[in-house]
Amino acid sequence: MPAPLLPCPTDNPDSAVIERAASVLRAGGLVAIPTETVYGLGANALDTAAVASIFTAKGRPSSDPLIVHIDTLAMAPQVVDGDFPTPARILADAYWPGPLTLVLPRHPTVPAAVASGLPLVGVRCPAHPTAQAIISAAGVPIAAPSANRFGRISPTRASHVAAELGDRIDLIVDSGPCSAGVESTVVSFDGDMAVVLRHGAIPLESIASHVAVRSIDTTSDTAIASPGHDERHYSPGIPTTTVIAGFDPSHAPPGNVRYLGYEGEEPELPAGWSFVPLGSRSDLDAIAHDLYDVLRRADVAAPTRIIAELTGEAGIGRAIDDRLSRAGSSRIARSVADL
Ligand code: TXA
Ligand code: MG
């Protein structure tokens, strides 16, 4: 039986829906929960069996750790062992509640499976009122990866969750489209230096205004664990190729191809290709907001190929380009010869 999909307006949360979601979570069930980034697939983070069922429902390898969600900083001691190091405290003060995940020492009561056996755990305090209300009502920290099947496009609407996981979970709470549209920024620490493991809704440049920060370099940062970064991720079912900003596709062969590019910058396209705007490069937040919905709609339109052009921009453009390049298995074409 498909999971019930219960409406819960963001500006006027329905207390009966919140209580039902909380009781399913307390009983060890799986609930899809709206957050400001993407929908999460929630379970009680302190319940080993419930955590295991997240991995099963998603088809996710046990080596890819989960983020634990708390309602307020007061819940952090149930998840994190000891005090926050100084740069983590500065970032939590600046961005929580919000789309920032901090990777910190795991409290012994958090099952090792949550963090794929690592001594560190990702923790985040989401800003979405529905997510906060459900965590508070459940009274326990909630482990929640994005509510999609492993490797597929993340969900930013309840209908996306229903299509991906509706037959595998207990409940879907629907608060409409997510506001940010890309996942949280994941930050680890190397002494006083913050290290961005995953670009996300909070730009690197913003973090740099609070603490010293750099992006992870997976070839030299061997002491910092950065699991869960498959080259192919966030992917449509249709073969997808990523191309550089300003790509010229005009001399490519004809075909049933969807070309994802930017408003006002539509290139000359070969026969049979159609243009799908990701938005205007001058409004990157709007592109992030719609990104997964546009990718998903291009996918269900069933072309023979999807080609997605990078923004080539900094700020939130880093997160958009990270997702677009992984949708294309992290291979980036510079010219038609590379397609
Ligand atoms: O915005 C988000 O973060 C969403 C919403 C639901 O909160 N969640 C999300 O979870 O994106 P997920 O499972 O799709 O991505 C979690 C990623 C892992 O793949 C890994 O890259 C990183 O977060 N991560 C989690 N725990 C970690 C840890 N202990 N050490 C290093 N990286 C970790
Ligand atoms: Mg995910």
Side-chain angles (χ1 to χ4, degrees):
M1 215 187 51
L5 200 151
L6 306 180
C8 188
T10 306
D11 48 6
N12 185 18
D14 180 332
S15 54
V17 172
I18 301 291
E19 196 35 59
R20 183 159 161 197
S23 73
V24 172
L25 290 166
R26 280 194 300 266
L30 294 179
V31 180
I33 297 169
T35 84
E36 73 277 31
T37 57
V38 300
Y39 276 74
L41 178 58
N44 178 354
L46 306 181
D47 177 337
T48 307
V51 167
S53 69
I54 291 181
F55 287 92
T56 309
K58 285 195 56 146
R60 178 175 175 121
S62 58
S63 56
D64 191 350
L66 306 177
I67 294 170
V68 178
H69 297 69
I70 55 179
D71 59 349
T72 61
L73 204 52
M75 201 181 251
Q78 293 188 54
V79 181
V80 176
D81 199 20
D83 293 335
F84 282 30
T86 302
R89 193 175 38 71
I90 291 170
L91 293 179
D93 285 348
Y95 295 111
W96 280 1
L100 178 73
T101 294
L102 300 174
V103 175
L104 294 170
R106 173 169 56 89
H107 194 278
T109 57
V110 176
V114 167
S116 304
L118 293 167
L120 303 175
V121 62
V123 61
R124 139 164 145 85
C125 180
H128 198 292
T130 305
Q132 287 182 354
I134 291 173
I135 302 165
S136 296
V140 286
I142 299 296
S146 51
N148 51 278
R149 295 198 190 195
F150 180 69
R152 299 267 300 135
I153 304 167
S154 303
T156 48
R157 292 159 193 252
S159 59
H160 300 164
V161 182
E164 292 264 323
L165 294 171
D167 57 343
R168 298 174 172 211
I169 65 178
D170 298 302
L171 198 63
I172 301 171
V173 178
D174 181 359
S175 294
C178 301
S179 54
V182 291
E183 291 84 348
S184 61
T185 305
V186 178
V187 173
S188 190
F189 298 93
D190 176 9
D192 279 342
M193 175 74 75
V195 182
V196 171
L197 304 184
R198 176 178 76 182
H199 290 293
I202 295 179
L204 179 79
E205 293 80 354
S206 304
I207 294 176
S209 67
H210 297 278
V211 298
V213 62
R214 61 180 170 79
S215 295
I216 187 156
D217 175 347
T218 43
T219 50
S220 59
D221 273 323
T222 45
I224 300 173
S226 179
H229 287 280
D230 294 37
E231 288 184 351
R232 180 167 190 273
H233 204 142
Y234 314 102
S235 292
I238 305 293
T240 301
T241 306
T242 312
V243 298
I244 55 165
F247 186 80
D248 173 14
S250 59
H251 298 295
N256 176 16
V257 176
R258 293 278 186 288
Y259 188 89
L260 277 49
Y262 300 96
E263 262 163 45
E265 303 176 42
E266 183 172 343
E268 190 189 322
L269 294 177
W273 289 39
S274 54
F275 183 72
V276 179
L278 286 161
S280 162
R281 231 192 279 256
S282 63
D283 188 351
L284 297 173
D285 288 335
I287 293 176
H289 179 271
D290 293 336
L291 182 67
Y292 293 134
D293 193 48
V294 174
L295 272 175
R296 207 170 269 273
R297 281 187 286 118
D299 197 25
V300 296
T304 48
R305 188 171 197 181
I306 294 169
I307 295 185
E309 185 180 324
L310 296 175
T311 68
E313 301 286 343
I316 189 85
R318 296 176 200 271
I320 296 166
D321 285 356
D322 172 77
R323 306 310 187 264
L324 288 176
S325 53
R326 289 182 209 273
S329 304
S330 301
R331 219 183 53 78
I332 294 166
R334 312 190 66 81
S335 69
V336 164
D338 301 332
L339 284 179

